[in-house]
C-alpha cells in the first residue's frame, strides 16, 4: 500500500500492473530500491488467486500482477489462463475466444 492506503501500481505497455510481494523481505527490497526504506510500509495479505480473479477485474483497464518488483519477480499479464476471460486482452470481443 502507498502512503494513501492505495495498492501499489504502475503503468507500462498499456497495462496497469498491481505490485505484489511474496513476503516482507521482497517488499523491503522494493522500498530500499526506491530510496524509501526509512518509512513504514503498510501491506495487506491476499491470496494470489484472489488478486487475479477479483482485484484485476475491478481495475477496469487492462491489468496484470507484477510479483516481487525490484527483484527476481514474475509477471502475470492480463491474458487467457491468467486472469478471467472477460478482462483478458487476448480475447476476441465478438466471439469470446482467444486471439
Amino acid at each position: 500500500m502507498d502512503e494513501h492506503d492505495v495498492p501499489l501500481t504502475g503503468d507500462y505497455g498499456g497495462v496497469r500492473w498491481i505490485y505484489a510481494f511474496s513476503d516482507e523481505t521482497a517488499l523491503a527490497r522494493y522500498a530500499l530500491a526506491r530510496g524509501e526504506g526509512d518509512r513504514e510500509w503498510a501491506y495487506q495479505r491476499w491470496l494470489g488467486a484472489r488478486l487475479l480473479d477479483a482485484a484485476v477485474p475491478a481495475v477496469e483497464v487492462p491489468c496484470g500482477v507484477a510479483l516481487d518488483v525490484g527483484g527476481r519477480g514474475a509477471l502475470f499479464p492480463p491474458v487467457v489462463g491468467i486472469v478471467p476471460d472477460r478482462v483478458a486482452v487476448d480475447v476476441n470481443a465478438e466471439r469470446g475466444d482467444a486471439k
Side-chain angles (χ1 to χ4, degrees), residues 27-79:
L27 176 58
R29 275 193 300 271
Y30 173 79
L32 291 170
R34 292 179 52 97
E36 298 181 44
D38 57 341
R39 77 170 179 87
E40 184 176 332
W41 287 74
Y43 62 91
Q44 293 181 354
R45 292 180 187 262
W46 284 52
L47 292 175
R50 185 167 179 221
L51 259 179
L52 294 167
D53 294 341
V56 165
V59 175
E60 297 182 357
V61 297
C63 183
V65 174
L67 178 65
D68 294 339
V69 174
R72 291 185 175 195
L75 295 177
F76 298 91
V79 296

